[in-house]
């Protein structure tokens, strides 16, 4: 596994450009089982490059940029056995140059949800993802479905700016308690971890209601808000349509159930993407089914 630190070193990736697609898994490090499952999915498609870069521009002032866990050696030790070909781990000044440089602004899907609570967040995400796509030039990029709005904002960027990359999403990996895996879970003590289960419980309650035929958005939101009471601060509980995040009174088609809350020192998010189209409530995709590529 090669560890590449500069843009110039990325020419080393050419050795893996061939019949099978070069797959990029962008991360900010502090890797957990959720990231590793994306890497495993990628490895079934083609040679995998993982980027590890704690991107300063997606943290709002006062957020946890300085405290964000960084342990490159531990991350590399987790990736090596998975057959990853290369890790791109640049310094900040390799990714960002002069003040006043071009940034990418989100379209309509960046409004509300995390876009409302974290000003500038999605512009930071899109700008760094656009840079990573330009530098690595992957054919496929994989993102975790846990960051649902991020997936949809990136999809809109790729479609609107005609970027030559295919996107796929991987499912959220959960602790036995139901808590979605997140690099920020390590900020939680035992009691906080227990209270953090209210996020997945809220989502599961709404899923059950959808399974019983409930389609009224306000009723679903109300049920999620009730479940979120153990959190220290509820940031949002929302039901939106995929991919454009509309909020109709009655939901149908592909639906995103999304919650965000503060528990102790951690801002946690979780979601379910559910397809109601066939009558049953089944898990949906935000970007694309990795299976398509594995079969190719
Ligand atoms: O999801 C993340 O870890 C980050 O937002 C990403 C996509 C790597 C961009 O910094």
């Amino acid at each position: 596994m090669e560890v590449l630190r500069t843009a110039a070193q990325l020419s080393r990736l050419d050795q893996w450009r061939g019949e099978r697609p070069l797959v990029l898994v962008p991360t900010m490090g502090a890797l957990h089982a959720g990231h590793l499952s994306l890497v495993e999915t990628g490895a079934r498609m083609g040679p995998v490059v993982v980027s590890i870069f704690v991107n300063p521009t997606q943290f709002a002032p006062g957020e946890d940029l300085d405290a964000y866990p960084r342990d490159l050696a531990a991350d590399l030790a987790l990736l090596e056995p998975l057959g990853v070909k290369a890790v791109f781990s640049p310094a900040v000044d390799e990714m960002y140059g002069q003040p006043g440089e071009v940034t990418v602004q989100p379209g309509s899907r960046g409004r509300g949800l995390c876009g409302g609570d974290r000003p500038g967040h999605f512009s930071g995400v899109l700008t760094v993802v656009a840079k990573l796509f330009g530098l690595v030039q992957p054919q496929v990029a994989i993102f975790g479905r846990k960051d649902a709005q991020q997936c949809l904002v990136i999809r809109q960027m790729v479609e609107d700016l005609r970027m030559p990359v295919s996107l796929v999403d991987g499912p959220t990996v959960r602790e036995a308690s139901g808590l979605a895996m997140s690099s920020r879970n390590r900020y939680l003590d035992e009691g906080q971890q227990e209270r953090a289960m209210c996020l997945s419980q809220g989502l599961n309650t709404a899923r059950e209601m959808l399974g019983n035929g409930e389609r009224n958005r306000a009723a679903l939101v109300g049920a999620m808000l009730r479940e979120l009471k153990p959190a220290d601060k509820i940031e949002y509980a929302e039901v939106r349509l995929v991919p454009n995040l509309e909020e109709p009174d009655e939901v149908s088609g592909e639906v995103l159930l999304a919650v965000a809350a503060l528990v102790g020192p951690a801002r946690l998010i979780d979601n379910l993407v559910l397809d109601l189209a066939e009558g049953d409530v089944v898990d949906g995709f935000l970007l694309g089914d990795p299976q398509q590529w594995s079969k190719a």
Side-chain angles (χ1 to χ4, degrees):
M1 187 171 77
E2 301 209 15
V3 180
L4 310 172
R5 306 303 295 244
T6 65
Q9 289 170 345
L10 287 171
S11 61
R12 302 276 310 144
L13 299 180
D14 289 348
Q15 63 187 299
W16 295 295
R17 297 185 202 281
E19 250 172 60
R20 299 182 78 213
L22 186 69
V23 179
L24 173 66
V25 183
T27 81
M28 296 206 301
L31 302 180
H32 52 66
H35 296 112
L36 302 184
S37 91
L38 300 179
V39 171
E40 282 163 351
T41 301
R44 288 193 284 275
M45 299 182 206
V48 173
V49 182
V50 175
S51 64
I52 297 182
F53 178 64
V54 181
N55 173 35
T57 64
Q58 69 187 76
F59 290 78
E63 288 189 352
D64 56 345
L65 172 61
D66 292 336
Y68 200 84
R70 293 162 171 88
D71 188 345
L72 184 61
D75 290 341
L76 297 179
L78 290 169
L79 294 174
E80 179 97 61
L82 302 184
V84 169
K85 300 294 184 211
V87 172
F88 178 48
S89 176
V92 172
D93 57 8
E94 191 68 24
M95 295 298 282
Y96 291 102
Q98 303 306 313
E101 69 183 354
V102 170
T103 58
V104 184
Q105 300 305 317
S108 52
R109 295 178 194 167
R111 287 197 280 273
L113 299 167
C114 291
D117 296 329
R118 305 183 70 189
H121 171 68
F122 286 121
S123 171
V125 169
L126 291 183
T127 301
V128 82
V129 169
K131 284 174 189 259
L132 288 168
F133 286 173
L135 286 164
V136 174
Q137 297 181 29
Q139 279 157 286
V140 178
I142 309 186
F143 295 87
R145 203 173 302 147
K146 184 172 90 68
D147 295 306
Q149 189 179 14
Q150 168 171 286
C151 286
L152 293 172
V153 166
I154 291 171
R155 175 172 154 189
Q156 196 175 25
M157 171 180 77
V158 165
E159 287 170 2
D160 290 356
L161 300 185
R162 313 300 199 258
M163 291 180 165
V165 58
S166 299
L167 303 175
V168 300
D169 53 317
T172 301
V173 176
R174 298 179 180 281
E175 309 279 359
S177 67
L179 177 64
M181 298 247 178
S182 160
S183 304
R184 292 188 168 96
N185 289 355
R186 56 185 86 184
Y187 300 156
L188 303 173
D189 65 26
E190 221 174 284
Q192 289 161 346
Q193 277 184 36
E194 216 164 283
R195 284 194 291 121
M197 283 160 49
C198 69
L199 279 86
S200 59
Q201 280 161 358
L203 296 171
N204 287 334
T205 298
R207 181 184 188 135
E208 215 174 292
M209 290 167 71
L210 284 166
N212 292 332
E214 181 63 79
R215 294 293 182 267
N216 183 267
R217 195 172 53 81
L220 295 162
V221 168
M224 291 198 292
L225 286 172
R226 279 192 293 282
E227 296 279 354
L228 283 174
K229 281 196 180 130
D232 292 309
K233 181 174 175 234
I234 301 171
E235 294 214 329
Y236 61 73
E238 297 209 21
V239 180
R240 302 281 191 113
L241 298 189
V242 174
N244 287 321
L245 301 176
E246 304 95 332
E247 298 176 277
D249 291 343
E250 301 290 315
V251 297
S252 60
E254 204 173 5
V255 170
L256 172 69
L257 309 176
V259 290
L262 295 179
V263 179
R267 180 182 184 277
L268 302 174
I269 62 171
D270 199 356
N271 72 77
L272 290 176
V273 180
L274 299 172
D275 196 340
L276 313 179
E278 302 303 325
D280 283 340
V281 177
V282 296
D283 292 311
F285 292 95
L286 293 169
L287 301 175
D289 183 351
Q291 286 288 339
Q292 284 170 316
W293 289 87
S294 303
K295 280 185 211 137

